[in-house]
Amino acid sequence: VQEGEAISSAAFSVSDAILSRHSCRSFTAQPVSIASIRRLLDTARFAPSGGNLQPWIVHVLSGSAMARFRAQLTPGFLANPLAGSAEYHVYPPELKQPYRSRRHKNGEDLYRLIGIPREDKAARHRQFAQNYNFFGAPVGMFFFLDRSMGPPQWSDLGMLIQNIMLLAREQGLETCAQESWAIWHEEVAEFLRVDSAFMLFCGLALGYGDTASPINRLRTDRAALDEFAVFHE
Ligand SMILES: Cc1cc2nc3c(=O)[nH]c(=O)nc-3n(C[C@H](O)[C@H](O)[C@H](O)COP(=O)(O)O)c2cc1C
């Protein structure tokens, strides 16, 4: 994978899927069939979980349900994208180094790529608000956990979500995990009629990436292997 390369072709190995996955933030309107989505989830469900609890609930929005969601809720979210409040800390309130710098760089790289300067807060908000349109994706997913579950089960849910993101690559599809939905958990749960025993962890946009869109050229870096792995030989 070349840095800055827009990926749209399908992935055929696990490495290929991992290296070609990136967060897609502009989708075409091309629909994804229910059969494709079902196939994806039907394989993703084999994710491991501690004690095989499989502590996940997934709600999928597409077709006319997605149209209804967009008509009813999206205008309010776009008008005031930061007005909601999350039930959990998406990041620790005091983000330590090196995490703080990494988060900062991620935002700066993204906005620089699409030509939005730091001072233009309104433009940054408008771009952030696109989360609440699933960046134009035809399919949205919401992931819930039973409230009685703790951090180990949140990690199990992450494994399911990663399976979904990698399997999407196999079908030439792109994704963006979206914790930004956490601030609108009440509205989302009400629309989907999810029992209050479950809490929203995050959403996910799914569809075909718009390869012409500059924002999709963002490729994020990672700490080198020896910065996080310790080998005891
Ligand atoms: C659980 C989770 C939640 C995320 N939430 C958002 C989000 O709300 N909006 C967004 O644009 N990106 C979101 N991201 C994408 C991350 O910013 C992205 O994964 C990270 O910067 C690495 O870039 P890459 O996915 O392109 O490799 C999320 C990623 C994860 C794993």
Side-chain angles (χ1 to χ4, degrees), residues 18 21-25 88 90-91 102 106-107 110 127-128 131-132 135 158 161-162 165 175-182 201-203 218-222:
I18 290 172
R21 185 212 60 78
H22 68 104
S23 293
C24 177
R25 297 185 179 90
Y88 65 91
V90 171
Y91 304 104
R102 288 178 183 166
N106 190 47
L110 183 125
Q127 173 53 43
F128 173 78
N131 271 290
Y132 304 119
F135 301 111
I161 297 170
Q162 175 74 334
M165 296 196 288
T175 53
C176 186
Q178 297 185 281
E179 233 164 347
S180 47
W181 282 107
F201 169 55
C202 75
L218 180 69
R219 290 297 176 279
T220 52
D221 55 11
R222 295 294 188 274

Side-chain angles (χ1 to χ4, degrees), residues 4-233:
E5 189 185 343
I7 308 292
S8 65
S9 55
F12 295 105
S13 73
V14 177
S15 299
D16 203 7
I18 290 172
L19 295 174
S20 73
R21 185 212 60 78
H22 68 104
S23 293
C24 177
R25 297 185 179 90
S26 177
F27 291 85
T28 69
Q30 185 181 342
V32 181
S33 71
I34 281 291
S36 287
I37 306 167
R38 291 189 70 96
R39 182 149 53 93
L40 209 155
L41 290 174
D42 206 26
T43 305
R45 73 194 162 98
F46 288 94
S49 57
N52 202 21
L53 296 193
Q54 307 159 67
W56 40 70
I57 303 282
V58 185
H59 281 246
V60 182
L61 274 179
S62 69
S64 58
M66 175 60 108
R68 210 155 38 80
F69 182 90
R70 283 197 157 107
Q72 279 181 31
L73 296 182
T74 303
F77 298 154
L78 295 188
N80 215 347
L82 294 170
S85 73
E87 276 189 271
Y88 65 91
H89 290 300
V90 171
Y91 304 104
E94 296 293 327
L95 200 52
K96 293 201 291 190
Q97 293 295 7
Y99 313 108
R100 192 146 54 112
S101 296
R102 288 178 183 166
R103 184 183 176 200
H104 180 78
K105 180 176 189 301
N106 190 47
E108 292 306 312
D109 287 351
L110 183 125
Y111 291 118
R112 188 178 323 109
L113 187 67
I114 55 175
I116 301 179
R118 190 188 304 244
E119 319 74 73
D120 197 347
K121 293 276 183 273
R124 286 189 172 207
H125 278 173
R126 270 197 305 280
Q127 173 53 43
F128 173 78
Q130 282 306 307
N131 271 290
Y132 304 119
N133 188 30
F134 293 101
F135 301 111
V139 181
M141 292 188 189
F142 288 109
F143 301 96
F144 293 86
L145 277 164
D146 190 292
R147 281 178 197 284
S148 62
M149 297 297 169
Q153 289 74 44
W154 287 51
S155 123
D156 294 339
L157 177 53
M159 301 202 195
L160 178 83
I161 297 170
Q162 175 74 334
N163 271 3
I164 291 170
M165 296 196 288
L166 297 183
L167 286 161
R169 293 302 306 125
E170 199 178 72
Q171 297 192 37
L173 292 162
E174 306 278 0
T175 53
C176 186
Q178 297 185 281
E179 233 164 347
S180 47
W181 282 107
I183 68 170
W184 296 112
H185 62 98
E186 283 173 11
E187 291 75 5
V188 170
E190 192 185 327
F191 182 91
L192 301 171
R193 297 179 202 282
V194 174
D195 190 283
S196 61
F198 297 92
M199 77 171 284
L200 177 64
F201 169 55
C202 75
L204 178 124
L206 174 77
Y208 294 95
D210 178 356
T211 52
S213 185
I215 201 167
N216 282 341
R217 286 206 286 271
L218 180 69
R219 290 297 176 279
T220 52
D221 55 11
R222 295 294 188 274
L225 177 57
D226 291 308
E227 284 180 51
F228 72 92
V230 180
F231 296 92
H232 302 265
E233 291 182 63

